[in-house]
Amino acid sequence: MPARNVIVTGGSRGLGLGIVRKLLESGFHVIAVARSKSDALRELEETARSGGQSALRFVACDLGELEQIPALVKRIREEAGPIFGLVNNAGISAEGVLGMMPDADIERMVRVNTLSPILVTKHVVRSMMAVGGGSIVHIASVVALTGFSGLAAYSATKASLVGFTRSLAREVGRLGIRVNAVAPGFIATDMTQSMTEEARKSIERRSALKRMAEAEDIANGVEFLLSDRSRNITGTILTIDAGGTA
Ligand code: NAI
């Protein structure tokens, strides 16, 4: 059986990079989409190369430019072949009191975190329909399910992915397409680098396992949801937070 193609948005760093690495290890072919290629991704591309071909492709795209999405998916389809999996991981966060947040920041966050995954999924699902199945994983967040002061608008974008996951799972299940989400707790990445040591300690203290989850844990969850081991799992939200919200 030929290797299955999986698109990972925001695959250049952080959780996305960890997901790309894990999927390559598991034998998937990966198409990483981000605004620019990182050194870490370049290294992975070399490692994944065999016989002049790499199991990892990079496609540059600003996913906030929504009008580019149809051409992006078409290009991936033409260059890589049928798409089996999609991981909607790219995302941005803006933190602060809602009343003080510039409208432009809120709008961009909704575009990148909500509209973009919905549109990418729309075009990828059409391709999956043609090949009779697939698996889609959205990266939501625990803040979609619990409250967090200073992240109201961000939480709204992540909660939208939860609703999207559940309804789309019902809509495309008969086509053999599964749709799930992972809800990570706080993970040390560029996105959360402003977190103080004190805040980190407090998250660890309040979690059931007295630690924070790591990028690798998220990658393991995503890989499971893409694999046939989860063939009867659709419409679920998998929380991975070391028991922070248990
Ligand atoms: P990050 O900031 O380290 O990486 C984000 C990735 O998304 C990068 O590869 C970046 O290039 C890409 N990206 C951002 N805007 C883009 C755009 N307009 N077009 C194309 N690519 C774009 O963030 P991190 O922490 O790896 O987050 C990944 C996902 O996980 C996000 O959706 C985030 O909301 C979510 N998440 C992160 C948590 C954390 O604690 N780090 C917790 C819960 C969810």
Side-chain angles (χ1 to χ4, degrees):
M1 193 171 70
R4 288 166 156 179
N5 285 319
V6 180
I7 298 174
V8 180
T9 69
S12 60
R13 66 177 201 208
L15 301 188
L17 184 69
I19 293 166
V20 169
R21 187 175 289 121
K22 177 72 191 170
L23 295 182
L24 288 171
E25 281 168 14
S26 303
F28 287 102
H29 278 193
V30 179
I31 302 99
V33 179
R35 279 162 301 183
S36 57
K37 202 189 268 189
S38 61
D39 287 344
L41 201 60
R42 221 168 262 124
E43 272 175 36
L44 267 188
E45 217 170 23
E46 279 310 310
T47 321
R49 193 179 297 281
S50 81
Q53 279 242 316
S54 179
L56 170 61
R57 286 165 197 266
F58 173 77
V59 181
C61 184
D62 182 339
L63 292 162
E65 311 276 332
L66 301 176
E67 64 288 353
Q68 292 190 17
I69 290 175
L72 167 77
V73 177
K74 185 163 180 276
R75 180 182 158 196
I76 293 173
R77 177 87 186 73
E78 283 168 1
E79 290 181 6
I83 299 162
F84 167 80
L86 168 64
V87 184
N88 276 314
N89 162 79
I92 51 176
S93 78
E95 200 174 343
V97 179
L98 182 66
M100 305 299 287
M101 194 170 282
D103 291 0
D105 289 2
I106 297 172
E107 195 191 317
R108 177 145 183 90
M109 204 156 52
V110 172
R111 229 177 317 127
V112 174
N113 295 5
T114 301
L115 289 173
S116 159
I118 291 175
L119 294 183
V120 172
T121 302
K122 168 183 163 178
H123 290 276
V124 168
V125 158
R126 285 182 182 170
S127 166
M128 286 176 174
M129 280 163 71
V131 293
S135 177
I136 299 165
V137 182
H138 298 113
I139 305 299
S141 167
V142 288
V143 299
L145 312 164
T146 65
F148 199 92
S149 173
L151 288 179
Y154 172 78
S155 300
T157 68
K158 291 297 170 182
S160 73
L161 293 180
V162 171
F164 184 50
T165 297
R166 294 222 163 95
S167 289
L168 189 67
R170 293 215 156 260
E171 193 173 309
V172 298
R174 74 196 64 191
L175 304 168
I177 303 171
R178 296 185 296 110
V179 190
N180 292 289
V182 168
F186 286 89
I187 317 278
T189 65
D190 289 344
M191 186 180 273
T192 50
Q193 65 182 356
S194 62
M195 189 190 288
T196 62
E197 190 53 32
E198 196 186 332
R200 186 186 303 258
K201 285 255 153 50
S202 147
I203 288 168
E204 287 175 358
R205 212 174 29 245
R206 282 185 283 129
S207 76
L209 296 173
K210 305 294 171 208
R211 56 180 185 246
M212 272 170 53
E214 295 173 15
E216 196 187 340
D217 302 313
I218 309 307
N220 285 337
V222 169
E223 193 266 340
F224 170 67
L225 291 172
L226 287 171
S227 77
D228 291 337
R229 284 173 289 142
S230 60
R231 68 183 189 276
N232 282 319
I233 300 179
T234 195
T236 66
I237 316 301
L238 176 61
T239 296
I240 302 179
D241 67 348
T245 54

